Amino acid sequence: MKQVQGIQASEGIAIGKVKIYQGAQPVVEPQRVQDVRKELALYEFACREATLELERVYRQAMGEVGKQAAEIFEAQLILLQDASFDRYIREKIIGEQVSASYAVYSAGEHFGAILGAMPDETARARRMDMKDVAGRVVRMLEQRSQEETEQECYVIVSREMTPGAVMTLGKDKVLAYITQNGSYQSHAAILARSMEIPAVTGVDVSTLEDGMEVAVDGEQGVVYLQPDEATCKELLDRVEEQKRLEKARKALIGAQTVTLSGHKVGLYANIGSREEVQAVIDNGGEGIGLLRTEFLFLGRSQMPEEEEQYRTYRYIAEQMQGKKVVLRTLDIGGDKPASYLPMEQEENPALGYRGIRICLQHRELFLTQLRAVLRAAAYGQVAVMFPMITSVDEVRKAKECLKEAREQLQAAGVSYGQVQMGIMIETPAAVMLAEELAKEVDFFSIGTNDLTQYTLAADRQNPAVRQVYDTRHPAIMKMIEHVVAAAHKAGITVSICGELGGDVTVTEQFVHMGMDIFSVSPVKLLEIRERIRSIS
Ligand code: PEP
Ligand code: MG
């Protein structure tokens, strides 16, 4: 057995046979043609067919995996209808007298390479969309059916997966994905997570062959080649145990989050899309402690307008039926760049232009989001929270913007609701200033993911410093204790919304520190409730 450490792309465990996936990118060899007009007509026909198919996949994605995933195909439709893509193909057919298939294939490679060379991660991710679009048109030309894919269930292995291929292969026939190229932010990974298909990327796939037995551990980002019986058993036991615990915990859905001695603790959820609200409700969440609004802003070519944001926030507030929803304002930049906000390439993006720093400079963008939040607040219990705070001055400026947004709505006669206002404590500076900051806001929420990276000087994304990035490091625990005490001294509430809040090994410590609210991923809610109910 060989064990390969890759990068986690989608949680879950699967064991099965490898299927090397080649369907996504047919390679087309140059072919000279006599009848250029016929090739042009064929190209036009294939384009229309591809458009119809993409529209169908878009609707299917909307129904099965939600709006965010479906937008990928909306973006692909735009690429397909792009004038330079069309011009390139026509010029190639006419100028070089080549087949329509080859011209389309070349266009995919050409524009894919341009996108792939961009410094912006989101634009680079578009490269696969471009190739996906070209591949779809080529398949139409060559009448390759997308349904020709396997009937059996396999672990799909490919150098890279396009979102279209993930969507086309669907949920039923795929046990897991292993890819060489990709990232947690790639559209294919987003889709795999929405479809609950385990995936590991960053694996050298050259050693994998059709039919080879593998085990994929999406939680650890590990792939086992020809796993031995003991490993399979261990993994399957984990799956079984997981299922058994999940089932048993369902009994806690309506239960209180209270310790044995009667101390009540709030149990909220972190979400990053409107589709996840259902999971919060299904798992008995008492509110949403962190809505990462940037998911509305990423993977698209234009910023969402106020109306779209308002509708999304309102929908979430209404779904939660009066339970609290904390909307974190845009935290893009760093590892989450947005293509419509051009940024200089940075040496240290995590220490760079991100979060509140961008919002305070792009005032219109910030005010638009704040107006949408305030309007949605008329339909539920909405709070607003600012990320990446390092000074009292930043908080005051953000508050001024909130006031201005309110005044704008008032002047326009648009109705809005009251919002509580809080900040994330995720920089060491915010920890050190906790007492001063507490006087400015209604609540704190501790973001341990970033707090750990900034305190221990270890990039949260860099596997090479994974050992240093110790989420339970004594320095972090001390900081949390200090923040809780400072919040309570000022009479405000404090929650923990970093991943550490979902770590049951430290739940008791946090409860004893006086943590008011735990905000964790929806799948962790019942596990944490169970743990809190066992604490004396
Ligand atoms: C954090 O930093 O802990 C946090 C919750 O925010 P994000 O993971 O979105 O940076
Ligand atoms: Mg953070």
Side-chain angles (χ1 to χ4, degrees):
M1 179 181 77
K2 193 174 159 207
Q3 182 176 335
V4 183
Q5 181 68 54
I7 299 163
Q8 175 213 23
S10 177
E11 292 83 0
I13 288 170
I15 300 172
K17 284 199 171 64
V18 162
K19 174 81 194 161
I20 306 287
Y21 186 69
Q22 277 146 349
Q25 310 297 333
V27 175
V28 183
E29 300 298 334
Q31 194 194 345
R32 301 275 296 178
V33 293
Q34 298 296 326
D35 192 346
V36 164
R37 280 166 64 164
K38 183 177 152 213
E39 292 304 311
L40 285 172
L42 280 172
Y43 158 63
E44 280 159 20
F45 172 77
C47 253
R48 276 197 302 278
E49 290 292 301
T51 304
L52 289 175
E53 191 181 66
L54 263 178
E55 285 169 352
R56 204 166 51 241
V57 176
Y58 169 76
R59 285 192 299 273
Q60 184 192 339
M62 254 328 228
E64 285 180 13
V65 284
K67 187 164 178 287
Q68 191 199 346
E71 273 168 4
I72 296 166
F73 301 101
E74 203 175 22
Q76 289 197 0
L77 272 165
I78 295 170
L79 290 174
L80 178 59
Q81 284 149 8
D82 183 73
S84 20
F85 180 69
D86 179 64
R87 197 167 44 245
Y88 183 97
I89 293 165
R90 288 175 189 279
E91 284 175 6
K92 193 106 186 153
I93 295 175
I94 299 166
E96 297 179 23
Q97 294 198 317
V98 288
S99 69
S101 291
Y102 180 68
V104 174
Y105 170 75
S106 305
E109 294 296 300
H110 173 74
F111 291 104
I114 293 175
L115 288 167
M118 298 230 170
D120 174 323
E121 165 82 20
T122 311
R124 279 205 305 278
R126 276 279 141 79
R127 169 175 154 262
M128 292 314 295
D129 288 318
M130 184 74 255
K131 289 181 137 200
D132 205 15
V133 166
R136 196 177 291 275
V137 181
V138 170
R139 275 191 298 275
M140 293 296 162
L141 280 161
E142 305 198 347
Q143 292 174 344
R144 292 185 200 200
S145 158
Q146 294 213 11
E147 278 78 34
E148 72 186 358
T149 45
E150 289 298 327
Q151 294 306 311
E152 262 186 78
C153 296
Y154 284 107
V155 172
I156 300 294
V157 173
S158 178
R159 280 186 69 80
E160 46 205 358
M161 284 306 290
T162 65
V166 174
M167 197 66 219
T168 308
L169 287 172
K171 285 190 212 191
D172 303 337
K173 299 175 210 158
V174 181
L175 295 171
Y177 286 108
I178 304 173
T179 58
Q180 186 148 333
N181 304 328
S183 69
Y184 196 77
Q185 295 95 335
S186 68
H187 282 146
I190 293 172
L191 268 177
R193 289 199 294 277
S194 311
M195 296 168 127
E196 296 182 29
I197 300 173
V200 174
T201 185
V203 174
D204 175 6
V205 296
S206 63
T207 50
L208 296 166
E209 290 164 11
D210 266 335
M212 183 188 265
E213 190 80 13
V214 288
V216 180
D217 182 348
E219 253 137 48
Q220 309 293 329
V222 173
V223 176
Y224 300 90
L225 314 189
Q226 279 149 344
D228 54 33
E229 240 176 78
T231 305
C232 287
K233 185 169 175 327
E234 199 186 307
L235 291 172
L236 289 174
D237 284 353
R238 255 171 65 195
V239 173
E240 281 312 307
E241 179 62 4
Q242 202 59 35
K243 278 192 197 152
R244 197 187 59 74
L245 288 172
E246 272 167 26
K247 210 169 149 203
R249 285 189 194 120
K250 290 285 174 196
L252 292 175
I253 286 176
Q256 285 212 327
T257 312
V258 62
T259 63
L260 291 171
S261 55
H263 174 66
K264 175 96 186 68
V265 179
L267 183 58
Y268 292 10
N270 299 340
I271 63 167
S273 69
R274 56 187 269 158
E275 288 72 34
E276 282 169 280
V277 179
Q278 197 52 47
V280 180
I281 297 165
D282 292 347
N283 288 290
E286 296 163 17
I288 292 173
L290 168 65
L291 172 63
R292 291 180 163 102
T293 61
E294 51 278 7
F295 287 88
L296 253 179
F297 292 72
L298 297 172
R300 52 195 294 165
S301 52
Q302 279 178 338
M303 192 180 105
E305 290 179 356
E306 179 181 325
E307 201 57 26
E308 182 186 343
Q309 291 190 53
Y310 156 65
R311 273 188 275 112
T312 306
Y313 305 152
R314 175 179 164 175
Y315 168 84
I316 294 170
E318 284 179 337
Q319 291 294 304
M320 291 306 290
Q321 299 187 342
K323 291 185 175 134
K324 193 162 176 176
V325 177
V326 180
L327 298 174
R328 178 178 72 185
T329 58
L330 195 52
D331 189 20
I332 49 170
D335 60 320
K336 292 175 280 193
S339 51
Y340 46 84
L341 262 188
M343 290 181 218
E344 296 291 319
Q345 180 129 31
E346 297 179 303
E347 283 278 315
N348 290 305
L351 303 180
Y353 194 44
R354 58 171 291 195
I356 197 74
R357 303 167 183 185
I358 294 181
C359 287
L360 291 178
Q361 275 193 24
H362 291 260
R363 207 175 169 85
E364 215 22 73
L365 175 151
F366 198 29
L367 287 172
T368 304
Q369 182 172 40
L370 293 173
R371 284 193 302 270
V373 171
L374 286 164
R375 287 171 62 191
Y379 299 89
Q381 199 197 148
V382 171
V384 66
M385 174 160 80
F386 305 120
M388 280 297 290
I389 293 295
T390 57
S391 70
V392 171
D393 187 48
E394 274 169 346
V395 179
R396 290 193 179 144
K397 285 194 173 121
K399 278 162 75 176
E400 270 166 34
C401 289
L402 188 61
K403 183 163 166 273
E404 188 175 335
R406 206 178 281 124
E407 285 164 0
Q408 287 176 338
L409 291 173
Q410 211 150 22
V414 178
S415 60
Y416 62 90
Q418 295 305 315
V419 291
Q420 277 207 332
M421 194 267 307
I423 54 170
M424 292 202 59
I425 302 290
E426 54 183 346
T427 64
V431 174
M432 296 309 288
L433 292 176
E435 292 193 354
E436 289 85 341
L437 291 168
K439 293 182 189 137
E440 300 286 331
V441 298
D442 300 316
F443 64 91
F444 281 164
S445 191
I446 307 174
T448 54
N449 306 340
D450 278 319
L451 186 58
T452 307
Q453 98 167 329
Y454 296 131
T455 304
L456 303 180
D459 185 345
R460 64 193 261 189
Q461 306 226 92
N462 184 349
V465 290
R466 200 170 281 168
Q467 302 304 326
V468 185
Y469 185 90
D470 171 10
T471 54
R472 290 172 294 194
H473 191 286
I476 305 297
M477 299 305 278
K478 274 194 175 181
M479 285 172 138
I480 295 172
E481 195 164 15
H482 172 74
V483 173
V484 173
H488 289 171
K489 194 169 152 203
I492 65 168
T493 55
V494 55
S495 71
I496 179 163
C497 66
E499 292 305 304
L500 188 61
D503 181 343
V504 285
T505 64
V506 278
T507 310
E508 184 163 7
Q509 262 175 283
F510 292 148
V511 169
H512 289 151
M513 278 180 200
M515 190 68 72
D516 298 302
I517 298 161
F518 288 71
S519 192
V520 300
S521 102
V523 289
K524 285 264 174 189
L525 282 166
L526 294 175
E527 192 183 346
I528 294 294
R529 178 170 292 154
E530 183 180 55
R531 180 73 193 97
I532 290 174
R533 286 170 65 88
S534 72
I535 295 170
S536 47

